Amino acid sequence: MNKRVSFLFSIFGVALFLQAPAAKAEVLVADEHHFIVKHEIMVPLDTQTSYQLLGKPSLWWSSAHTWSGDAKNLRMQLKAGGCFCEIWEGNSVVHAQVIHAKAGSLLRMQGALGPLQDMAVNAVLTYTLKKAAGGTLLELSYRVSGNVSHKLTSLAGPVDKVLGEQMEGFQKAASK
């Protein structure tokens, strides 16, 4: 395992990816320059309520995948320029910045999550919400590109697993 993958696992932890039957996940593309991962889940909430829940990551993001160790320190503003931030004990991290917010249907952010931040990659995280029988189909896509020296192929799987864990957390929070 190379140093970057080892570091990724040490920061993100070993992700357990337990999918509900309605979940779908895959690495769409992965090479040395970029990767794209996609996840889909069904939640029993309407699109507006699901969208509002996206803005409350403290309720669904895993504490194991925060810099502070506590998801309660996460905040997100559902508007262009809004911050997906973590603030604790005089410290703070910008995980991503909202670049497109369309209530009930789309939330797009630009930001390299976790150890990707140090790699100076370009990354876009998009949540698409679609009305479906019994609730909302929530689709996540994360597109990451960077310098060939980052060997992004080796990072696609671990990032996919971590994002899968977050989607699982969202699904559980939406089902309460």
Side-chain angles (χ1 to χ4, degrees):
M1 186 179 303
N2 72 34
K3 285 185 177 183
R4 289 212 193 279
V5 172
S6 177
F7 179 69
L8 181 68
F9 277 111
S10 70
I11 294 296
F12 279 144
V14 177
L16 296 175
F17 182 50
L18 304 173
Q19 292 186 31
K24 180 180 173 186
E26 64 184 310
V27 175
L28 295 177
V29 174
D31 64 29
E32 298 300 307
H33 298 282
H34 74 294
F35 64 83
I36 302 170
V37 299
K38 183 177 179 180
H39 290 260
E40 294 180 354
I41 57 171
M42 283 294 302
V43 295
L45 303 173
D46 62 64
T47 58
Q48 290 295 333
T49 305
S50 296
Y51 182 82
Q52 291 303 314
L53 183 57
L54 281 173
K56 299 173 184 173
S58 62
L59 299 178
W60 55 271
W61 197 271
S62 169
S63 291
H65 303 296
T66 64
W67 293 100
S68 67
D70 191 346
K72 291 180 183 173
N73 296 320
L74 296 172
R75 311 279 185 274
M76 187 184 307
Q77 300 164 308
L78 297 174
K79 63 179 185 174
C83 187
F84 173 24
C85 294
E86 185 173 354
I87 302 168
W88 77 103
E89 300 172 8
N91 302 298
S92 60
V93 175
V94 174
H95 293 288
Q97 183 176 30
V98 175
I99 58 173
H100 190 161
K102 189 173 179 185
S105 64
L106 179 79
L107 179 63
R108 180 170 294 132
M109 297 177 279
Q110 187 165 21
L113 300 174
L116 295 174
Q117 188 180 60
D118 186 49
M119 300 168 113
V121 299
N122 185 36
V124 176
L125 177 64
T126 301
Y127 293 97
T128 305
L129 302 93
K130 297 177 182 174
K131 184 177 179 176
T136 297
L137 175 65
L138 178 63
E139 300 173 348
L140 171 152
S141 71
Y142 193 46
R143 299 170 181 265
V144 178
S145 62
N147 186 291
V148 70
S149 67
H150 298 315
K151 299 183 179 180
L152 294 175
T153 303
S154 64
L155 299 178
V159 170
D160 180 56
K161 287 182 181 184
V162 169
L163 290 175
E165 183 177 335
Q166 306 327 306
M167 291 293 276
E168 178 188 341
F170 187 89
Q171 194 170 43
K172 286 180 182 177
S175 298
K176 289 183 181 180

